[in-house]
Amino acid sequence: MDARLQSAFAALVGEKYVLTSPQDTAAYTTDWRRQYHADALCVLRPAHTAEVSALVGLCAREGIAIVPQGGNTGLSGGSVPTGTRPEIVLSLSRLDRIRAVDALNDTLTVEAGCVLADIQRAAAQAGRLFALSLGAEGSCQIGGNLSTNAGGVSVLRYGNAREQVLGLEVVLPDGRVWDGLRALRKDNTGYDLKQLFLGAEGTLGVITAAVLKLHPRPTANVTAWIAMRNPAHAVESLAQLRARLGERISAFELVSRGCLEAVLKHAPAIRDPLSRPHSWYVLAEFADTGTPATLAALVEQALADCSNLAQDAVLASSTTQSQSLWKIRETIPEAQFANVKHDVSVPVSKVPELIERVGAALESALPGVPVYAFGHIGDGNIHYNVGDQALLPRREEVNRIVYGVVAALGGSISAEHGLGQSKREQIRHYKDALELELMRALKRSFDPQGLMNPGKVL
Ligand SMILES: Cc1cc2nc3c(=O)[nH]c(=O)nc-3n(C[C@H](O)[C@H](O)[C@H](O)COP(=O)(O)OP(=O)(O)OC[C@H]3O[C@@H](n4cnc5c(N)ncnc54)[C@H](O)[C@@H]3O)c2cc1C
């Protein structure tokens, strides 16, 4: 980067917050899975919306592309440069203030760089729940969560990140600030512009702040680890449990025996919760207001009513036990770190068919290949991971098999992680041509110079 540009950036944000040396920028230019890396001109670390606005405006005048970055925990290569043109990484991590808590309106106004776990804590201090929850919550940031429309483990009850938002503040690609920080539950004044930035993966603008919805805080939680014969029984039991427990089911996660074994091998301190092996498991979380004993009794009765489907079950009787059960689920990603990964969704009723058909097609093409199927079965979202590192060169072939079945079942090739760099090519085959045309038209209208996170999504 030339000295003129470096001092122009430094004048806007302070010299200390213009990172140029490889040791300073390394953590920002490689993605979490260490599959994507490219150099940037520099990493910029503004502290306020006004600084973001000034930096983005300068980039627009200089024709420099911008890669917005939150916690850099994204799983599709969206948060790092592509190296195809001059780019800067714009880290939002210093915009980390909680701007306002309005308990009576059940809202929290936060800046984009707030870490998700800190937002959950701020909501708890106000006696409320912020419902977004995912494995990376200790390091991902709300700006990244909203830009990927993150899912996680509470979607079944509370919806995706998109559904937790009432208002946004966004720096547009020319540097202007759109103040859409409204805290309204009703506002029918034309197009709902905020929705365009949610899930846009930084391709339309930089989210700098958001008004988030809060929920009543449950006073009772029950965690259950339930053995199932197959995914069809898991889907059927979800329907039966919902009929009995309604919205008290906040998470319903599928775990295959293969995933559990990978976890037990990777983390020997973790124990199999049941005394004998089963093919499939569900990790379910139930939450309610009222006493823990009342909820536990309701859950036990509901599980007893479904005993034809549940082969065995253990209920956590303490927070520590609950955390141990969740630890199994949270360790799955790192227990099978390098393989061919998929984040797909189909209608919940079609999940068993998806798992069966993809399994058969893979077995026929790659006999004996290990498959790790797990995820948010209550949302029809399965992480269908295949093989090990040696299979990575055959990724395209595996993708075609998995995505072919997903498409035949009316599903999506990206349920919650986004397209980023990793699925940018494939989406052309699996998304309707008219939808892609409309998306390109929106992109041109917001970002005519194509400076916002180029090489991602479209
Ligand atoms: C262990 C683990 C578990 C995970 N579990 C889940 C899960 O259950 N569900 C799920 O959905 N995801 C999950 N993820 C993926 C990841 O945590 C989410 O995608 C998360 O929302 C990314 O947030 P981030 O702050 O790390 O964003 P980053 O990775 O920094 O960025 C993600 C995308 O958002 C853009 N972006 C970031 N901040 C902004 C901003 N302020 N304005 C505009 N664009 C921006 C980036 O350019 C990039 O395209 C998991 C990841 C890990 C490592």
Side-chain angles (χ1 to χ4, degrees):
M1 179 169 63
D2 66 51
R4 177 193 63 85
L5 198 55
Q6 185 161 349
S7 40
F9 283 141
L12 297 177
V13 78
E15 207 170 316
K16 190 173 155 196
Y17 298 111
V18 181
L19 313 183
T20 52
S21 77
Q23 61 268 38
D24 288 342
T25 59
Y28 301 85
T29 50
T30 303
D31 76 313
W32 189 83
R33 280 193 178 137
R34 298 192 285 279
Q35 288 187 3
Y36 296 94
H37 166 82
D39 291 330
L41 293 175
C42 62
V43 174
L44 299 172
R45 302 193 57 220
H48 302 280
T49 302
E51 289 182 0
V52 175
S53 161
L55 291 170
V56 171
L58 176 59
C59 287
R61 290 191 296 282
E62 298 282 341
I64 294 168
I66 297 159
V67 182
Q69 190 179 96
N72 197 15
T73 67
L75 299 177
S76 55
S79 55
V80 293
T82 57
T84 51
R85 56 191 292 181
E87 288 166 291
I88 58 104
V89 172
L90 187 71
S91 166
L92 278 301
S93 58
R94 292 179 64 228
L95 276 83
D96 60 355
R97 285 160 289 257
I98 306 273
R99 288 194 191 163
V101 182
D102 185 345
L104 292 182
N105 194 39
D106 274 324
T107 51
L108 207 55
T109 305
V110 302
E111 294 188 346
C114 288
V115 170
L116 176 54
D118 292 337
I119 294 176
Q120 294 165 345
R121 270 190 286 276
Q125 276 160 18
R128 301 289 189 276
L129 173 79
F130 180 59
L132 191 66
S133 174
L134 47 129
E137 62 197 24
S139 47
C140 62
Q141 297 169 13
I142 194 68
N145 301 145
L146 302 185
S147 299
T148 53
N149 184 27
V153 293
S154 306
V155 174
L156 184 63
R157 179 163 179 178
Y158 298 102
N160 288 310
R162 182 186 295 286
E163 283 145 271
Q164 316 308 324
V165 182
L166 291 180
L168 282 185
E169 177 187 84
V170 179
V171 172
L172 301 173
D174 60 7
R176 284 179 299 167
V177 181
W178 171 53
D179 180 357
L181 276 182
R182 288 183 281 269
L184 305 174
R185 282 179 173 72
K186 288 190 163 181
D187 178 15
N188 280 347
T189 52
Y191 305 138
D192 190 356
L193 294 178
K194 68 176 178 296
Q195 295 298 342
L196 294 174
F197 299 97
L198 299 167
E201 299 181 55
T203 60
L204 298 180
V206 183
I207 296 175
T208 46
V211 180
L212 303 174
K213 276 190 216 169
L214 302 178
H215 295 274
R217 192 164 185 76
T219 48
N221 285 77
V222 170
T223 310
W225 179 263
I226 313 164
M228 296 277 165
R229 182 164 291 119
N230 53 44
H233 281 190
V235 168
E236 181 57 37
S237 64
L238 172 61
Q240 293 197 17
L241 289 170
R242 284 193 106 176
R244 286 161 178 77
L245 298 168
E247 296 304 308
R248 293 183 188 92
I249 310 177
S250 60
F252 208 74
E253 299 286 301
L254 186 72
V255 177
S256 70
R257 179 72 198 172
C259 289
L260 177 61
E261 279 173 6
V263 167
L264 298 177
K265 194 167 158 205
H266 175 78
I270 293 179
R271 295 292 170 85
D272 185 339
L274 297 171
S275 53
R276 65 180 191 86
H278 296 268
S279 303
W280 293 90
Y281 305 93
V282 162
L283 174 62
E285 184 76 18
F286 307 89
D288 202 359
T289 47
T291 69
T294 310
L295 178 63
L298 279 172
V299 171
E300 274 168 28
Q301 184 57 53
L303 285 171
D305 293 346
C306 305
S307 58
N308 57 324
L309 298 168
Q311 294 185 304
D312 199 357
V314 58
L315 257 59
S317 57
S318 66
T319 309
T320 315
Q321 272 182 17
S322 164
Q323 284 167 346
S324 315
L325 293 177
W326 275 103
K327 184 79 183 157
I328 298 174
R329 170 65 184 84
E330 283 155 12
T331 307
I332 298 174
E334 62 197 70
Q336 36 87 53
F337 188 73
N339 55 16
V340 184
K341 299 197 186 296
H342 305 97
D343 158 43
V344 298
S345 63
V346 291
V348 177
S349 53
K350 302 240 164 95
V351 170
E353 188 179 348
L354 171 83
I355 292 177
E356 204 175 303
R357 280 175 63 178
V358 176
L362 284 170
E363 183 57 30
S364 141
L366 303 156
V369 72
V371 163
Y372 304 93
F374 67 101
H376 320 295
I377 190 169
D379 316 324
N381 174 193
I382 299 297
H383 300 308
Y384 202 102
N385 300 344
V386 187
D388 55 22
Q389 189 141 17
L391 195 65
L392 288 173
R394 294 177 71 180
R395 184 199 304 258
E396 298 298 314
E397 184 188 343
V398 177
N399 286 346
R400 267 195 301 278
I401 293 172
V402 177
Y403 294 156
V405 179
V406 168
L409 295 175
S412 165
I413 68 165
S414 177
E416 61 175 7
H417 295 160
L419 299 175
Q421 300 185 55
S422 64
K423 290 177 223 106
R424 180 179 171 237
E425 292 300 325
Q426 281 126 353
I427 198 63
R428 293 176 195 177
H429 305 293
Y430 298 102
K431 206 165 175 98
D432 177 70
L434 179 58
E435 269 182 274
L436 286 171
E437 193 185 312
L438 292 171
M439 282 167 65
R440 286 192 197 99
L442 277 172
K443 170 75 176 165
R444 277 194 302 275
S445 154
F446 276 83
D447 182 20
Q449 289 183 271
L451 296 178
M452 287 307 309
N453 217 1
K456 320 289 167 54
V457 182
L458 285 168

